Amino acid sequence: MDVQVGKLTAPPEVQKNLPLPAPPEPEEVEDPGSWARILPYAARLKRISRRNFLIGAGASAALAGDMLFTRHVQAERRATKILTVPDSFSDLYFPKASWILFPGYKTSWEEAQWILNSLRPALHQRGRLAAIGYSNLGLDVDEIVRELILHVRALELEELYFYGHSFGGMLATQVAARLLELHGVETQLIVLDSSPFSRSDVLDQSWFDGVVFLYENGFRIPSVLRGGYELGERVVHKDERTWRQILDQSLEQLSPIAPSSVLIQTESAYIYHFDGLRFAGKLGGAKMAFMGNPKDGTVNYLTAREGWNRVFAANMKISNLSTEGARPAHASPQWASDVYRPLLERVQNELEPLPPTPEEPSYREPNGQIIRPA
């Protein structure tokens, strides 16, 4: 029997039901004018010098690199972080003690480190230097307490000194109470620098109330709109700042790595709802000192000082420190460190004095001569 190898032919009844093959699609005919439209651009490119081309390419590469760096920085700042400032003196002589800076309203990570470096000659006389870097996703007290206690345990810190910069004084007080309540860690000293005691101490109530209202109703303020308003506000209050400070602060707020609008709005809401009475009697033996400027145009110096004095009378040890002469008048240690350093040295010497220097061992011979070790 013959066997046919190959493709078998389908029966006629099956072939009737098979779909007809699709007709071939017509080939696209290229528009002859498309190449002609490119010729003018090619001619212009030919006229560009090699140097200008390399300059443009280099600028584009630098811009791309800057955008990638900015994106990396923004991603990193989505979490709360302890920002340490290395200092060889305090790291050597005070390894178990640390100053913790709680930055003020709208203060960036870079400005927080700037503040610490400005006050370094005074602060490093008692402890190491660190600051709280707030998350751009918003202010979270629980997250701050968690990061801080991890920092304390990692360095085996035994003494904590808090510096509350502007509204940071409110936050420093609450964190000190939480550390003592939850972890048994007591803060030795809390310095309040122009810190409002309540929202009524904030002078610009119209802007303040508006920011909180918009945040709590789900509206997020665009950075450009915020920066434009703040520039106008600084120009209106020209008597508090130099033109250089106005320019520097405005550019900082418009920078891609500046505090986010969400963070600033959550800071506003924190100030708005802060109730210092909740933490009265919960600071243990922590000593407090208040400093401020009677000419402060942001926080009412007199009412803020009265509020802290009244509620924390058991902890408040010094409240008559004046930063008059500093510009801007409100919480400006980074601009007027010469005004702030002597005050901080006084606070430390009075409230946290160093132990007396021990006498060198000596031996008195029978003839009265004192022998000291070489």
Side-chain angles (χ1 to χ4, degrees):
M1 180 177 69
D2 296 333
V3 179
Q4 185 177 2
V5 179
K7 186 176 180 180
L8 299 178
T9 304
E13 59 274 12
V14 175
Q15 289 184 346
K16 291 180 182 179
N17 298 327
L18 291 176
L20 296 176
E25 296 182 0
E27 296 183 3
E28 294 184 2
V29 180
E30 186 174 0
D31 181 9
S34 60
W35 286 100
R37 286 193 291 269
I38 298 176
L39 293 178
Y41 298 101
R44 293 175 196 168
L45 183 62
K46 188 176 181 181
R47 290 197 296 270
I48 298 176
S49 68
R50 181 179 299 177
R51 183 179 64 180
N52 291 340
F53 175 79
L54 292 176
I55 292 174
S60 300
L63 178 61
D66 180 69
M67 292 176 65
L68 289 173
F69 173 75
T70 301
R71 184 175 181 180
H72 172 73
V73 170
Q74 290 174 332
E76 182 180 346
R77 298 186 186 188
R78 295 171 67 86
T80 300
K81 185 177 180 180
I82 305 298
L83 311 171
T84 58
V85 175
D87 180 84
S88 57
F89 179 82
S90 60
D91 292 345
L92 176 62
Y93 287 98
F94 304 101
K96 302 296 185 182
S98 179
W99 276 98
I100 306 295
L101 169 68
F102 290 78
Y105 187 57
K106 298 184 291 190
T107 301
S108 67
W109 288 21
E110 288 76 17
E111 192 171 3
Q113 293 170 308
W114 177 16
I115 292 172
L116 285 176
N117 278 305
S118 299
L119 300 177
R120 180 199 298 263
L123 298 183
H124 79 168
Q125 297 178 24
R126 293 300 185 281
R128 307 169 82 170
L129 307 176
I132 306 293
Y134 306 136
S135 167
N136 268 340
L137 296 182
L139 190 69
D140 188 329
V141 178
D142 292 334
E143 191 173 289
I144 292 171
V145 173
R146 181 172 61 253
E147 290 301 314
L148 187 52
I149 194 62
L150 290 175
H151 178 71
V152 168
R153 291 171 177 170
L155 297 184
E156 299 180 348
L157 298 176
E158 298 173 357
E159 295 181 330
L160 288 178
Y161 309 118
F162 287 175
Y163 187 106
H165 175 245
S166 188
F167 105 93
M170 294 174 154
L171 189 57
T173 303
Q174 180 175 0
V175 170
R178 295 283 294 277
L179 285 175
L180 183 59
E181 177 187 5
L182 300 177
H183 304 285
V185 175
E186 185 174 82
T187 305
Q188 276 64 43
L189 176 62
I190 303 174
V191 174
L192 307 168
D193 175 11
S194 309
S195 302
F197 176 73
S198 69
R199 66 172 180 261
S200 60
D201 298 325
V202 179
L203 295 177
D204 192 356
Q205 287 290 323
S206 57
W207 161 253
F208 182 62
D209 292 344
V211 170
V212 176
F213 174 80
L214 292 174
Y215 170 72
E216 294 185 344
N217 284 275
F219 181 79
R220 302 296 177 257
I221 300 176
S223 296
V224 174
L225 176 62
R226 188 192 81 218
Y229 174 87
E230 290 172 355
L231 173 60
E233 180 187 36
R234 294 187 183 105
V235 172
V236 169
H237 295 90
K238 172 66 177 62
D239 58 313
E240 294 186 0
R241 298 171 174 84
T242 65
W243 284 110
R244 176 61 184 272
Q245 290 171 343
I246 290 175
L247 177 62
D248 287 349
Q249 289 179 322
S250 299
L251 290 177
E252 182 186 10
Q253 292 302 318
L254 292 174
S255 167
I257 59 176
S260 68
S261 293
V262 173
L263 172 57
I264 291 175
Q265 286 180 284
T266 54
E267 290 175 341
S268 301
Y270 180 86
I271 300 170
Y272 193 82
H273 296 292
F274 180 80
D275 180 10
L277 290 171
R278 292 186 300 154
F279 314 114
K282 297 182 179 180
L283 299 180
K287 305 178 186 71
M288 303 179 77
F290 179 87
M291 64 175 65
N293 195 327
K295 297 181 180 179
D296 193 336
T298 302
V299 171
N300 188 314
Y301 166 75
L302 294 176
T303 60
R305 184 179 67 171
E306 181 183 356
W308 289 110
N309 271 330
R310 184 176 62 254
V311 176
F312 292 94
N315 301 93
M316 186 65 68
K317 304 303 178 183
I318 304 177
S319 61
N320 59 348
L321 301 173
S322 173
T323 58
E324 192 168 359
R327 294 186 68 188
H330 175 73
S332 57
Q334 67 274 42
W335 300 102
S337 58
D338 56 329
V339 175
Y340 279 80
R341 288 175 190 166
L343 299 178
L344 289 170
E345 289 176 356
R346 175 187 165 185
V347 169
Q348 292 177 125
N349 291 334
E350 291 187 18
L351 303 185
E352 290 295 320
L354 292 174
T357 304
E359 294 184 3
E360 295 180 1
S362 61
Y363 172 73
R364 184 183 296 272
E365 292 186 338
N367 61 4
Q369 183 180 2
I370 298 177
I371 306 298
R372 297 185 184 277

